[in-house]
Structures are given as C-alpha cells and as structure tokens.
Amino acid sequence: MALSSGLASKAEAVDRPGRIERIQAASDRYADFLMGKGLDDDDLNGLKVVLDCANGATSDVAEKVFPGLGAQVSMIHHKPDGININEGCGSQHPENLAKRVIAEKADLGLAFDGDGDRVIVVDERGRVLTGDQALMICAAHYHRRGSLKNNTVVSTVMSNMGLGLALKQAGITHRQTAVGDRHVMEEMRASGAVVGGEDSGHMIFMDRHTTGDGILAGLRVIDAMRSSGKPLSELAALMRVLPQCLINVDVASKPDLSALDQVQGAIKEVEADLKGQGRVLVRYSGTQPQCRVMVEGPTEAETREHCELIASTIKAVIGA
C-alpha cells in the first residue's frame, strides 16, 4: 500500500540526519544586537548598575552589553558551573542584589532569571519593584514619547489591579489575557500593541524584538529612567501596588468551579465585602493538581482573610 504524501515526507525526514551548525562569535553578535536595540539615548555613561545573572544564560552577554554602553557595572552570580543556576540568586531571589545596590550606592540593580527572558528591577533604595511596576514605567515612557502604538498595553489577569488603575489614570488602554507570555504576545499582535508583559518580569517590546528578553527589558527600564531624569524610586510611584494574597490549594479533582455552590458562595461573599476596592481570581493550575486563589484588597489583613476564606472552602469541597 502506498504512503500518503504527508507520511512519505515524514519517512524521508527520518532517514536524513540532523545537522549542528556553530555560529561564530554568537554571544558577541547577540550583545551587539542588544546594544543597538535597547536604548533610545546613546549610552549609559555615568550609570552605576549591579547585575545578578542567576549563574545562567545572561552571565556572559550582560558583562559585554552594559559596560559596552558605558555603564559602571558590578556583577554577582555570573559564574555558572552547570549546577548553580538560579540557586539562591537571580529574579527569584533578589535579596542579595538589593543589599549590593545599597552598599555600592548604585543607581539600580537588575536580576535576570536562569534562561534570561525575565528581569526584576531593584531601585536605588534597595526596594524590589514588581514586574507590573517596571511595565508601567516603560509604558509611561513610551506614552510620553508618543511611541506607544495604539495607546495600548497588554498584561495578564495576574497583574496587580494597581496596574490597570495606573494605566487608566495615564489615559492608556489596558488589555488583559490568560496567564502566559504566549497569550500576551497573541494579544499584542491582535491589538497592534508594542508594550506588554507579566508581573513575573517577563516583558515584550515588539518595536525592538520578537520575543521577551531580560537584558533588553532592563535596558528599556533604564532608558525610561534616564529619559525622565528621575530615580527609579520616584518612577515606581506611578503605580500603587494593591495588597495581594495568593494561595495554592492541592485538589483531588478539577470540576467546573462555577458548578461548586459553596465555592461560588465564598467568592461572592468576598466580592461583596471588597465593595469594588479589590478583586478575586480563582482558577486551576494548567500543569499541577492545584487551584490558585488570588485576592487583592485595600489592606494586607483584609486581603489575607478573604483569600484564606475562599481557599479553605475549596479545600473542604475538593481538597486532596
């Protein structure tokens, strides 16, 4: 029996061995690309920055890019040994970076994650900014320069409610997507937006690159800071971060949440108590047997109390 053309092509492909092509001076070419795309201004002369490379993918390139643009750079966690990636460092653990920024009186610190697609920013006072705050700083910069295409910024439903409020106050349209940079990218393409990201520190600048890149995002934040003439601590105040509580509940199954009367009752009770001064988001994890409960509210205590109420109800109904 003859194979269909599709099956035949697959069979032929199996017979052909793959190839590895080594790109000469790849890190130098990548660094040149970033230095040419990261800034509107010419250089980083006079800037003092501390970089935490998470002993990962940015370790070599970041050490070329920032000094190459004229910055005074201190590097930490930039000696990967194949095992120490993300080990107590990088974007998931910015505490050491915050201390170094204060000790060295740097203008800011940047903490990348292991694979280099995210960045968490530390201001000159050693305060760790949220990814949403960094996104707002960049959005305001684009808006001020008239380069925020379609006057739109995209983030996910996990972004702090404060981001939406800040964007609204700035006169910027805010579009939200499901969790994941893939969804952010899809909405950016659909809406024509050039700025989008997640609170995790994953930011996308479509006028500069086709994907998220931690070093590029760090440069865009620095560009916004230098252009404004203000320190990061002042720019961070563009957005007020509402208190947020997130609880992951282990579940035995994942029935339709809208069909669980007790859970829906708890959610409605919390939403009534918040009186529009916060929000509730309850969803299942796409990869783990968990239900994620996120509540934002006016105070830390209220937010925690509301989140625990919903989480305990879910645990009682479908908990593992």
Side-chain angles (χ1 to χ4, degrees), residues 38-39 41 43-44 47-49 51 66 69 71 107-110 121 137-138 141 215-230 232 235:
L39 303 176
D41 296 325
D43 54 50
L44 298 180
L47 182 82
K48 189 172 185 179
V49 59
L51 305 177
F66 291 88
L69 288 169
D107 296 298
L108 78 158
L110 299 174
V121 181
I137 289 170
C138 292
H141 173 59
I215 295 177
L216 180 67
L219 289 172
R220 298 310 291 142
V221 172
I222 291 172
D223 202 56
M225 180 186 74
R226 302 262 287 189
S227 174
S228 71
K230 299 176 182 179
L232 273 180
L235 291 180

Side-chain angles (χ1 to χ4, degrees), residues 38-60:
L39 303 176
D40 290 332
D41 296 325
D42 293 333
D43 54 50
L44 298 180
N45 289 331
L47 182 82
K48 189 172 185 179
V49 59
V50 182
L51 305 177
D52 181 343
C53 294
N55 294 314
T58 60
S59 297
D60 177 49

Side-chain angles (χ1 to χ4, degrees), residues 72-138:
Q72 182 181 341
V73 178
S74 293
M75 305 283 296
I76 61 174
H77 306 300
H78 63 298
K79 301 293 184 182
D81 60 13
I83 299 175
N84 61 356
I85 186 170
N86 289 324
E87 188 177 323
C89 57
S91 60
Q92 294 298 106
H93 303 278
E95 310 85 30
N96 290 335
L97 175 63
K99 292 176 182 177
R100 285 289 293 269
V101 168
I102 294 173
E104 300 194 19
K105 298 180 179 176
D107 296 298
L108 78 158
L110 299 174
F112 306 108
D113 65 332
D115 64 359
D117 64 350
R118 296 192 291 116
V119 65
I120 290 297
V121 181
V122 174
D123 72 16
E124 79 285 357
R125 297 179 180 177
R127 186 177 63 161
V128 179
L129 275 57
T130 69
D132 287 332
Q133 285 177 301
L135 186 63
M136 183 63 209
I137 289 170
C138 292

